[in-house]
Structures are given as C-alpha cells and as structure tokens.
Amino acid sequence: MAPTAMSSVSGALSRHQTIEERRRHWLAAFRTVRAETERRASFLSAEDQIVQSMADASPTKWHRAHVTWFYETFLVREHEKSYVPFDERFPFLFNSYYVAAGPRHARPQRGLITRPNSEEVMRYRAHVDAAVERLIENVPEDMAPRFFEILEIGLNHEQQHQELLLTDILHAFAQNPTNPSYDSNWQMPRGVTGPREVNDFVDVPSGIQPIGHDNAGFCYDNELPRHEALIPRMRIARHLVTNAQWLAFIETDGYRTPSLWLSDGWAAVQTDGWEAPGYWRQVDGTWHVMTLGGLRPVDPASPVLHVSYYEADAFARFAGKHLPSEQEWEVSARAGLIADGFGMAWQWTRSAYLSYPGYRAAEGALGEYNGKFMSGQMVLRGSSLATPDGHERLTYRNFFYPSARWQFSSLRLAEFP
Amino acid sequence: MAPTAMSSVSGALSRHQTIEERRRHWLAAFRTVRAETERRASFLSAEDQIVQSMADASPTKWHRAHVTWFYETFLVREHEKSYVPFDERFPFLFNSYYVAAGPRHARPQRGLITRPNSEEVMRYRAHVDAAVERLIENVPEDMAPRFFEILEIGLNHEQQHQELLLTDILHAFAQNPTNPSYDSNWQMPRGVTGPREVNDFVDVPSGIQPIGHDNAGFCYDNELPRHEALIPRMRIARHLVTNAQWLAFIETDGYRTPSLWLSDGWAAVQTDGWEAPGYWRQVDGTWHVMTLGGLRPVDPASPVLHVSYYEADAFARFAGKHLPSEQEWEVSARAGLIADGFGMAWQWTRSAYLSYPGYRAAEGALGEYNGKFMSGQMVLRGSSLATPDGHERLTYRNFFYPSARWQFSSLRLAEFP
Amino acid sequence: MAPTAMSSVSGALSRHQTIEERRRHWLAAFRTVRAETERRASFLSAEDQIVQSMADASPTKWHRAHVTWFYETFLVREHEKSYVPFDERFPFLFNSYYVAAGPRHARPQRGLITRPNSEEVMRYRAHVDAAVERLIENVPEDMAPRFFEILEIGLNHEQQHQELLLTDILHAFAQNPTNPSYDSNWQMPRGVTGPREVNDFVDVPSGIQPIGHDNAGFCYDNELPRHEALIPRMRIARHLVTNAQWLAFIETDGYRTPSLWLSDGWAAVQTDGWEAPGYWRQVDGTWHVMTLGGLRPVDPASPVLHVSYYEADAFARFAGKHLPSEQEWEVSARAGLIADGFGMAWQWTRSAYLSYPGYRAAEGALGEYNGKFMSGQMVLRGSSLATPDGHERLTYRNFFYPSARWQFSSLRLAEFP
Amino acid sequence: MAPTAMSSVSGALSRHQTIEERRRHWLAAFRTVRAETERRASFLSAEDQIVQSMADASPTKWHRAHVTWFYETFLVREHEKSYVPFDERFPFLFNSYYVAAGPRHARPQRGLITRPNSEEVMRYRAHVDAAVERLIENVPEDMAPRFFEILEIGLNHEQQHQELLLTDILHAFAQNPTNPSYDSNWQMPRGVTGPREVNDFVDVPSGIQPIGHDNAGFCYDNELPRHEALIPRMRIARHLVTNAQWLAFIETDGYRTPSLWLSDGWAAVQTDGWEAPGYWRQVDGTWHVMTLGGLRPVDPASPVLHVSYYEADAFARFAGKHLPSEQEWEVSARAGLIADGFGMAWQWTRSAYLSYPGYRAAEGALGEYNGKFMSGQMVLRGSSLATPDGHERLTYRNFFYPSARWQFSSLRLAEFP
C-alpha cells in the first residue's frame, strides 16, 4: 500500500479548517518532528555527535543545528521583526549550501567545530523552538498561509536530515576499527522481501501515464510539474534484490568482470578496491556488514544495502535485466504492484536526476533546495529504513552520485519483453 | 535539409547490388576515409603529431595508428588467417579502451611514445590498408555481409577520430603561448546563424513521436532501439546562440552569479577560473579565441563554441529558457525546423546520456564501443565544423562530460509555454 | 641560565641511591608527568578532545591514550607476565608509528574514533597507571635498571606529547571561525626578549667544540654520540626575532619578494597563500593571532611565533643575516650567551636533521623513536612555552619539516664576519 | 687521479695570456661545448626531442633552446646593444626558473611546445652562436674579464644540461613499452669497479681539513667559501656498490623490511611500489635495466645505478655501514683514495644540500643558479657516465631530492670505527 503524502507531519489537514485548528495542527507537527531529531541523537554521546568521516557526511551536532538555522533564517527572521538571534556566528557555521543566504563554513571542516558544543546547540534549538512556537500561535491570519508553507518545508527538510543523521553516523562508525553500535537493539525491518521466488516480475502499466506530484499536499519542487510520460511495455520485479542474490554475484566474479561494468564504475572498482557492497567485510571467512546495530553477519534474505548505482547497474547486467526508470517505478508503485517500495531501502533507477519538462526552481534561497543539483546524479525512489514516518511519497525523487554507497540504497530489477 | 545516414561513406548502397558492386563501393569508401585522415594530419609536422595536452586528448599520431589497429584487430585478424601483423607491440600501444581486446597502454601516457615514429605509423597504415583492400576484393561472398558490417563500423570509427584529431590538436595549440595555427587559411563555416532575429522560436512537433534510428543504413548501437517518446508542447530556437549573445552574458556577470549555475557547474567556475568560453582570452581589451586558424578576434555573429554543458545550462537560465531534450531536438531536426543543426557545432541537450528502453550492447569487444559510457555524461546532437562529411545523422548521439569544453560545442535554446 | 637535563622529572637522582630511594623517586616522577597530561586536558571538553584538524595533528584523547599505550607496550607487557590488557583493540588504535610493535590505525583517521570515549580512555589510563605503579614498587632489583630506563623514556615521551597536545588543539581551534580559547587566562611568558637593542650579537665560541650529550642523565639517542665539531668564527643574536621585526618584513613586501625565498619556500608562499606567520589574521586592519588564550592583537615586543623554516630563512636573508647551525646554537647556549633559549619558542637552525657521526639507532621498536625521521626535516633548538618543565636540554634536537608552522617555532639570527 | 677544474673547457688558461690568446681560447671552448650538445641530440629525431615524461624532466629541444637563451639573456643582451633577438617570444618559453629574468612558461608544460619546431631551435642556436662568437672576438678588452666570466658560467651551464638531456631522454624512453635505445652501440664505461674484494675500505684523512673550492679556476658559488671542517676517524669504500651486491639486498627482502628504511623512504617504497632500482624490470625471470643502449640484462659487476637516496641509505643500514658525508668524500677523493669517483655514477652522501658557512648567493638573476635550492635535497659527489668531459671537480656539489632515481646515481659506503 502506497503512503499518502506527508501524513504523519501534516496529517489530514483540510482546506476548510479554521485558523485555530491549523495552528494546533502545525504545533503538533512541529513538536513531533523536532522530538524525532532529538530521539535519534539521544543514542549518541557529545563525542559521537561531532565526528565527520568524509566531506559528504556531517556531524550529528551539525545536523541538529543546521535544521534549526533553517527555521531561524527562512521563518523566524522573516516573520518576527523583534527576533534576537541566539548567536550571530551561527548562520555562518550552520548554513549548508544556500549561497543566497550568505557565506558559510567550508563543508569538509564541519567536524572541526568542537565549539559551540552539544549543550549550546541544545540551547540554540530551544531558543528557536520557542520563537517558532510563538509564531505558530500568533502569526497573523493573512500571513499564515505563507508562514505554514515555509514551516512545512522546514519540517520536511528536518526529516531529510534525520535520515542523513543515521547514514552519516553509520559511515563514521564504519571507519572505527572497534565497530561501534548506534543502537545495539536495532533490527532490520521485516519487509515482504525474503524467502519467495526470485523472479517475480509484473507488468508495468504502459502507455501515457501521469508522472509527478498533483500538488495536493506537500511535495518538493523537483516533483513538479506533473506531466505525462510514455511508459514502454516492460516488467518490474516485485521484490528487492537480496543479499543471497548479491553473494552469487560476488562468487561469480561480478566484481572482477569488467564487461559487466560502466566505464566509470569499473574505474571506481579498481580505484577504491570494491569487492562487495559498502560496509561489508569478511570476519573469519564469513561476510559481515556494519549496521546501526553494529557488525553483524550478512542476512541472505534481507535486501542488499549500500550498493552504488554502478554496482546496481552491473548487477542488472549480470542478471540479464535492467534497472527501471523512475517513471516506470512510479507508475508501478502507484498501481500497488511492488513490495517493499517504502521503508526498506532506496532503489536506484536508471534515470538521471534532471528537471521535469518546464521545471523552474523557486525564487530566492529556497530555490537552491533541489534544482542546482541536477547534474551528474541518479534518481532513487521509494524510501528506506532510516526515512522518518510520513516523509515518503510516490513521487519523491531522491538523488545521489552514482558512486555513493553510504545511503541505505538497494535496487529492484526490470525487464523488457 | 537533414542529412541521410552515412551518405558520403556508404553512398546509396542498394540491398540489390551485386557482390562486385559492393566490393567497388566499399573500396572507394575505404580509400576516401583513409585519405581524409591523412589530409587532416598533413597540416601537422611529426613533432606536432606527438603532443598530448591532457589525458582526454590524444596525439595525432596515436589517432592515425589507433584507427588502423581497429581494422587490424576486428577485421583483418578475423578474416585473414595468414595475416602477418606489422608489429606485435602495436596492439598494446594502440588499443584505446577495449578491455576485451587485451591489455593497453595507459591513456595519459600516449604523448610519451616518440617511437614508433610518424614514418613507422605511415608504414603501419600502408600495411593494414593493403590487407583490408585484399579482403575487400577477396572476402568470400558468404562472409561478406559480416565483413562489410565491421568495415563500416571501422570507417565510422575513423571518422569520429578525424573529428577528435582536430579538437585535440586545437587543445594542444591553445596551451602554446605562441598560438600556432593548424591551418592559417581556415575559415569558420558560413551557417545561417547570424544577423537575424534572436528569438526565432518554432513549435516542436508534440505528442507521441518516433525516436532513434530505423536501422536502414548505418547507425551506432546507442541509437537503437527505435522507440516512441512523448514530446511535450514547447518551442525550439531556430538558431544557435551567438558570440554576441554570449558577450552579453559575460558582461551581465553571468560567470559571477552563482544562482545561474548548477552546483557542480559553479564549482567548476571557481576551481578552473572560468570567465569566458574555452580558448577565449583578452588581448588588449578585446576577446579573442583560439581557432584552427590561430588566435582570432571573437566574431559576434558566429555561434559560440567551446562551452561546457554547465555554461550552456547557466546561459539558458540567464535567458529565461531551457535547453531542449535530445528527443525534442531530434523531432525538430527531422521536421526540418532548425537551422545550423549540422556542420557548425554540437549542441548540448538537457538529456543525460543513457540507454534507450531495452538497449543492449553488442557482444564482445565492439560492445564496449558506446554502452559502457552511459553514466555522468550529457548528450549533444547535430554535428560540428570538424565532423567529416557524411558522418552526421538525425539520430546521432554524441556525449561528453558536462565540464568538457575542448569540443566544438554550442547550444540552441528551447522554451516551454 | 641553561637547564639541567630532565631535572623536574628525574630530579637529582644519584647513582648511589638505594633501590627504595629509586622506587620513590620514579613513583613521584611518574605521578607528576601523568598528572600534567591530565591537567592540560582538563581545559578541554570531551568534544574538544576528539578533534583532529590535519593529518599531522592528533586529538587530545588520542595523545592521552597513546602515551599510555607506550608504557603498556614497552614496560608493562615486558615486565608483568600476568598483565591483563585493558582492551585488546587498543594497541591497534593507539600505536603511532612503531612498525615493529605491530599494525596500527591510519594516522589521518584518528579524529574518527569517538569510541572508546573520553571516559574509557580515563579508565585505560588508570588501569595502566596501576600496573606501572605496581611494577615501580615491585620490579626485581636486577631488572630495575632496564625497567627504569624504559620508564624514563616513557616519561619523556609523554612530555613530548604534552607539548603536541597544546600545539594540536591550537591548530584545531584556529580552524574554528568562533576563535575558541584553550584557556582564556593564558599569558605569553615574559622572556627577556623585548624592548631592547635589536642587533645585540655576541661572539660564538669558535674552534673545536664538543657537541651532543655526555650521557650523564637522560637524553634521546639522536643527541649521541657526543663528538667534536669545528665552529667557525661568527656571532649569534642574544634575542629572538620579535613580532615588531616581523611586521617590518611584512610591510617591506617580504612575502612578495621571490628573491628572498628558497625555491620550495616560494612555492609554499604561493600555494598556501602565506602573507604572515601562521594563525595571523587581520581584524579591522590590525594583525591578530590565535593563541592559547584565543584571538589576540599581535604584541610587537613578543618573539614571532608560528613561522616555518622557509619563513625564518627568508627573514634572515632579508635581514642580511643567517640562521645559526645547531652546533653554533649549542655552544652558544652552553656558554650562557643567549637569552630566551628556553621556554619561549623553538628556534629554527640552518641544520638539516641528520645523524651525528657514527649514530646508530637502538634495536627494536624503540629504535624507531628518532632515527627513521632523518630526512627532509630541519633542526630546532631550545624549547617553547608549551614544553613541560624539565623536558628541555642544551643538546635537545627537535625537528620538523621546513613547511611546518603549527609549532611554537621562532628564530634567532646569526652573522658571519 | 682527480680531475683538474674545467680542463676541457677552459684548458690551461694562464692568467698571463694576451687578450688574443684568450679570445682564441674561449672561441674554441664555446664551439666545443656547443657541438657536444648537438652531438648528443643527433641520436634523436625531432619527435624524440619534444617529449617530456615528467615535470622534473625536460624535452631535448627545450634543453637545446634553454642553454641558448642563457647566453642570449646574460651575455648577448648585456654586451651587444644592437642585438636583434631571434624571437621575442622565446625568453618566455625558454627561461627555466630565473624569476629575476622575467616570467616563464610553466615547467610541466614544456612537452606541449611543438612549435617552435626543432628546425627553428637550430636556427635560434645559430643566431645566438653568431652573436656570441662576434662578441668573443670583439668585446672591448676592459669588458672582457666580466664577459668571459659569464661565458664560462654559460658553458658550464650548458654542460649540466648535456647531462640532463641524457637522463631525461632515458626517463622518457623507459616509459615507452617498446624500450627504445638512445644509441644501440652504447656501452657502460669500464671503471675499476668490478670483480675485486667488496670490503676494501680505506682510512679517510681525519682532523681539520680544507673543504670547498680554492677559486683557482671555475667553480659554482655553492662550492664556496672554502673553509675548514673537522673530519672524524672513519673509513670509506674504495669501490662503488655493485649490482651483485644490490641483488643480494633485493633477495634478502631489502625492499620489504621497514626497519631498514627512513620513514619517508618507506612511504616511497609503498606508494611507488619500489622493489628494485629505477628502470629495473624482470623479463622472463631475469632482471633487466633500461640503459642508453636499450633494455639490457643487469650486469652484476657494474655499479648499481638509478637508486634514490632513500635506497642508498637503506642499503647502507642493511650492510651495517653508513654513507660518507660530502666532506669525507671530498677529502678522500682529494687524497686519491677512491676508485671510480668520476665518470661512472654520482654518489649519494649523507649530507643535506645546505650552504657552506658564510655562503652568499650572487646578486641578480644568476644568484638563483644554486642557492635557492638549499632545502630538502641531498648532496651527490663525483660525476657520472653522462657528465661531459672536463665538467667534473673534486669540490662539485650535485643535489637532488632524496626520492630521485632518474639520474645516474649510485653510492659508496663508509664505516665508523
């Protein structure tokens, strides 16, 4: 069953609600999202929260502060003229990439910022929380639509960082020879993937099909405009590729057969010494993998995780299949044809991350949210075990460089007639 | 008027021709293509022919030998059992990237190979030419179809390197502070681009349209399978963007306005210090550009050349337009709607270089020709002033990384309603 | 006045002391050194203690653990057969560069180790402290000489890391745009340098002079063998070069005059954009410098700090002087001719860090302590404000690459007749 | 027998010669040196002469032009007011590193300069030759001393480049998988090294000894000032280390034993994959080496060539010996104690390349000749098979980075009592 847009955050928010109902709704949503970030950080010490293990990852403390800066910059400073910033140095430290929002600290150096410390960041959060809550309760009714619109973006933005908080700390822990656990009780979600027939392919609805968000409820600008696409006749796998299937790929010399690989992918295999998915390592002859619960034996029935696009593409070629396009994925998911589309792992598609026809980024700093990344990256669809509840959508377009392996990224196959 | 496929090479080769007619046809085609390579090299001394100015470029001498190796490897060794190779060391030296065809010399080191010298490469060419011509005249009739098919690929392959020979030597000369000319009599072709209205946009045929090659005549595998695509309602510019328009972009701080750029593009602007198209430099306050005829003042009426995809995309945003997709380009060109589609400059599209639905690369080494490069690159359509006669096609898909500027690359705009 | 060797650590340890007196002596010395490390770390939070701001620097927590590993590995494991290691994973994490002592964690990744956390490292220290103290009190008398010898090396080793702890955290804080203080009450020591005549040069004792340690008391192997050197007739400055003098160098375009610089130094100036000593930055038109007390205005009367050898050499050329050789420095210091030789800043000499005639490194892992670094580095003499009391010696040879600026490094001049 | 300074160039030039005798003398010397450069280049085609195989090496054509530029810049432009430069663009192209002589082309790009071509460089040489010869014959007598002094530097400078011409082309040819020969008739010189006792050590004259040039005849500034040094009691090997000895080092795992290596040296072993001297490679299980005569089996009796300082130092430690200091080498050579000091291979010493006491570089651009390289490099003494006749001297200080292997570099051992 496919999720509805933004359900847990925005709930069943009717257009006919009173302003007071809307204030109550958004206050609850704000508190829910803010609490989830702190819940995720609560498994980590102040020491854990400062580490940055590569330029693409960020410290937990930075995530906690950056999402706060987002509300402060785009919401509070805009709507509360008398707002006293918590610290004038924070915008420089916690702006990520919004050029229009002013200068910012170099991304690869986020791990050097021991001060402000974790406690100060907690106070920063409380300071901004109070301001946001005041505004939710008091913003004039004529300003409310724009205010709540930006707030909703801020909440979705924070949810994205909730996922990154987990992927980034897992990357950091995977660099640590002592294999720390984020949460020793962590369990892989039980999807429907598993001990059933591998080649369960279903027909994708073909012909002219609607693609993109219908703008009822929240979505990002890159899911727009809704438009029509022509879907070819083809079939998509009901299930995600499993670790068992991937082990066969390894054992059949998949990582040593250049003809299976894209040229850039083969270069990555050789340069980075890939011989298994990310975080896999052999312990006494058995493949293990770093998880949020620490180093664990690879479970054959689980979907493979931490594969790059290059690996997904090579595996598909090895299997005599293809990856689906993002449009093929979307119409299949909308039709309820696929299992584990959400909540297990993002699924690489064979689509480059590009604009939909006629797409135009928003004006101002928020226009930098998605549009400027439309080159060199590939689209992933679905959502992962790390995606917060209610953040997933049928039309959601996630994107990463084809070499990225630190996300919870997997694949499902497709085949042409 | 749009070109027909491979006209100058394969001519009007009827399926009903006799074997003797076909032998005559291919002998003429072979000699024509081989002579064109030598004609292009004839402007260069042996010294000029050895230089490699970056890893992506190759020396003229290497191009001359590599295209020869292609026939020797895929044609002569296959069909002439008694063939005595010219030199057993050459396959290692002159294989480009065909992993299945054996080990090869590191690409960035091609400029170090002073020996074999230019004269030996000339003798290598003559040796292989003789063998190919013997085979054209004597290949048994039952083997002929496969033989001529590979020969045709070899001729098209050589034509691609004829273009690269020019782009690569221009790059080398552009590194030389003395600004050498490849041919001091060289002139920019006279296209229809120029002193006419800038905003001449025409409607693109919309709806379901055929895309890709119909397989009548030669094409590369990446132009297949022919399939249908849904073209949105939009308009495409009849003309290429001119230097005059680009000068306005420069003067309006286009290279200093981050909001116009993709994130990766802005990084390139800053890292590489771009402030104008490739090969542009100011001499006494006037923009000049390195051409095949040496350093010359920028001609405002000519199409802009040597822009990367990043620049093309930024310019389109600056102009409030878009780049066309490769499908939009193809249907517009097929309908005869665009000027200077061929023979001036390759035109960046907003399409990533990916496979057509159901694409499968050929078996064996020749399968490495196109398919393995399908990640990270963007499609260019049309052809350029350096493209040999008859090599262009409506369905031709050229591709380069979005940062590439050493090709004769330009752009035409598109707009959505 | 020149210091005596290892006074605060080993005190006036007579050869005629009883074993009990020696046990008491070493127990006190051990506790003093161990406490000083913790005192230095006590200014820093657990977050501060994890940061590694470049490959050459290490986190405070790592320093605290590494010096502990040194005792555990070379002392406790050797002498206490029943010793139960605190954690079998720690030797891998906290070995620095002793190849003979086993594999080790990659140096540039020390900042990624959030776990073991600061508290576990504290417990590791306590565990090893207890073992060392047991051994100090109980080591059999016949083993005692070797035991105390290694212990003394361990104490000196820890003192070296006490200095690095400060230089490394200062480097980290200098990367933080909020300019944190290590200790806001920190003050530059009051040396005799300052408002006195700049050109106060004194004759260096010339002719054949003894160089190196006489082996009475502790020294490192690189201070041996004591040997004779021929000192030319020349003069050495009584004082260190001051910030006031350095400001004149800056203002006279010292950083923009290539003829003043070694070729490698000029490359560093250009590549790294040097225009002042390390940590200097202009705030509202005034030069400030990051200190252990935070960002402060540059004090003209203080010795210049954080200059590389390249800068020291360029300054000497600018001043029409030279740097002293390490031998010239040593005989001058032994003769009591120089001021602020100790306790302010290490002083670059014009001597490369090479072996004394007939030098041979010790056997085993401890032989890696000094000898294997004898290429590419330059000798600094004296000691700095960060050097722990009693660690300095007339014959002490400190060494760093000529580009290094994160140490408390300065210079004094010399002149030839 | 030790060579006398500059004999073949300057001959027995008496201070009492007439101006006419001096003109004749220098004319002959000039022609001899100029002819030797062309003789060395004559083994190479125009193609061979353009290749640059690494940033540290230069093309033959560049060497031929650069040494010519040196006369043009420092001699002809100074003394012939009416001189018409051959080409105003050449100073930019052919200045090597003389910052004071104006801007220059980036060193790593010398291999991109196909034009001016070899023939133009020949004409440039002829143009400058004519000017120099005119001046030799006509320079006014009062200007003659300064003129001939600079000329002599120019001749020595050209001789240095004659050696580099060979080492650089050998490096280029060693990158070519076809193993070209510079001169297929080339033979290793027959030194006295060879089948005699390996451990033939002789006492070095100890005590206070003169070091450096006595300024009678030509020398470089870095050989001055002559001064006294204290030589310890030690012994030096009569012979160079042979390939046979080096094979034993390889076979005893010398390249796999970290304790033998300096830390930076071990890093080089691992990063660059060293397992034998430079240009050594195994062919069918036998060690071969690239020579000026092409790829040849390693001759056990010949001195080892193409070893870095790191390797020389590791070998000495392996052998239980040391390298001599440059002073120890010089007094031994002056006393006639060593065999094959000259004409076989440069010999690494354990001395860093630093200034002699009181050294001051010359004023102006020529002051950049030697002085600015005094950091990070090690001294080699003697001369090599590639050194032109008469260029060697007892006091000659050659210098390279400790990682350099493309010179004809070898070693002789020393031992302390």
Side-chain angles (χ1 to χ4, degrees), chain C residues 84-118:
Chain C
V84 179
F86 180 77
D87 190 316
E88 283 296 358
R89 302 166 307 179
F90 281 21
F92 181 81
L93 287 177
F94 298 124
N95 179 359
S96 53
Y97 55 68
Y98 297 86
V99 176
R104 70 224 73 88
H105 191 228
R107 175 166 196 155
Q109 303 206 316
R110 290 174 184 165
L112 305 184
I113 305 306
T114 62
R115 306 184 191 180
N117 65 14
S118 187

Side-chain angles (χ1 to χ4, degrees), chain D residues 26 67 83 97 101 115 155 168 189 203 227 334 366:
Chain D
W26 286 113
V67 295
Y83 175 70
Y97 55 68
R115 305 183 190 181
L155 295 174
D168 292 358
D203 289 336
H227 62 285
R334 187 174 282 126
L366 282 174

Side-chain angles (χ1 to χ4, degrees), chain B residues 96-129:
Chain B
S96 53
Y97 56 68
Y98 298 87
V99 176
R104 70 222 74 87
H105 190 230
R107 175 165 197 158
Q109 303 205 317
R110 291 175 184 163
L112 304 183
I113 305 306
T114 63
R115 306 182 190 182
N117 65 14
S118 185
E119 193 184 311
E120 282 175 280
V121 165
M122 194 178 67
R123 286 191 282 114
Y124 177 45
R125 288 181 63 94
H127 182 86
V128 173
D129 282 355

Side-chain angles (χ1 to χ4, degrees), chain C residues 71-144:
Chain C
Y71 301 111
E72 185 184 52
T73 302
F74 298 119
L75 208 59
V76 181
R77 284 179 191 257
E78 293 290 318
H79 285 86
E80 181 170 308
K81 293 309 166 209
S82 62
Y83 175 70
V84 179
F86 180 77
D87 190 316
E88 283 296 358
R89 302 166 307 179
F90 281 21
F92 181 81
L93 287 177
F94 298 124
N95 179 359
S96 53
Y97 55 68
Y98 297 86
V99 176
R104 70 224 73 88
H105 191 228
R107 175 166 196 155
Q109 303 206 316
R110 290 174 184 165
L112 305 184
I113 305 306
T114 62
R115 306 184 191 180
N117 65 14
S118 187
E119 193 185 310
E120 283 175 279
V121 164
M122 194 178 66
R123 285 190 281 115
Y124 177 45
R125 289 180 62 94
H127 181 88
V128 173
D129 282 356
V132 172
E133 296 197 3
R134 272 196 308 277
L135 282 165
I136 291 176
E137 288 168 0
N138 299 305
V139 69
E141 191 159 0
D142 61 335
M143 306 291 282

Side-chain angles (χ1 to χ4, degrees), chain D residues 41-55:
Chain D
S42 68
F43 292 83
L44 300 169
S45 70
E47 284 170 82
D48 291 333
Q49 293 193 31
I50 201 195
V51 74
Q52 177 179 36
S53 52
M54 63 169 169

Side-chain angles (χ1 to χ4, degrees), chain C residues 229-270:
Chain C
L230 187 63
I231 306 296
R233 287 156 54 90
M234 47 100 66
R235 294 151 59 75
I236 195 167
R238 278 196 17 90
H239 300 295
L240 301 178
V241 168
T242 62
N243 286 324
Q245 290 174 285
W246 205 272
L247 284 161
F249 175 67
I250 295 173
E251 285 157 15
T252 322
D253 279 343
Y255 283 95
R256 287 191 283 269
T257 306
S259 61
L260 293 175
W261 294 79
L262 290 166
S263 182
D264 288 351
W266 184 243
V269 168
Q270 297 188 289

